[in-house]
Amino acid sequence: MKLFFAIFYTNDLKKSVEFYRDFIGFEVEYVQEGRFASFKLENTRLGIKQKKEVREIPGAQSIILDVPNVEEVYEAYKAKGANF
């Protein structure tokens, strides 16, 4: 089984797009201003949706990624100012 798509909710779509695009380095696939954005990650996609309904709770989602070079990625994000 492979993860095809995950959707996270946010209170600030613009800020979330900037984070995943500029800080994490994900490729933006699609943006619908003020509503939704998707990022292409190899064989899956990550969606970020602007919170519109009560059931859409920003920060309540989790995802696990397989990162073969985790130490290298950790150092790169640390150099960018990530707080672990």
Side-chain angles (χ1 to χ4, degrees):
M1 184 182 310
K2 294 181 182 180
L3 176 67
F4 178 69
F5 205 98
I7 298 176
F8 292 171
Y9 302 107
T10 183
N11 288 317
D12 189 333
L13 184 63
K14 183 178 183 294
K15 194 173 197 178
S16 293
V17 168
E18 290 170 355
F19 173 77
Y20 285 102
R21 180 191 62 214
D22 302 338
F23 192 87
I24 301 295
F26 289 170
E27 174 188 348
V28 175
E29 180 178 51
Y30 172 82
V31 174
Q32 183 181 17
E33 293 297 326
R35 295 191 57 86
F36 184 79
S38 67
F39 299 87
K40 188 172 181 180
L41 297 90
E42 295 184 23
N43 297 323
T44 191
R45 297 197 172 37
L46 171 63
I48 307 295
K49 184 179 182 301
Q50 179 69 44
K51 179 188 185 316
K52 300 286 184 186
E53 300 179 31
V54 174
R55 67 175 176 79
E56 300 172 337
I57 303 168
Q61 303 80 36
S62 297
I63 188 168
I64 298 170
L65 302 172
D66 179 20
V67 184
N69 57 340
V70 71
E71 291 86 7
E72 182 180 317
V73 172
Y74 170 81
E75 291 301 328
Y77 288 166
K78 191 172 157 184
K80 288 182 176 184
N83 184 12
F84 293 95

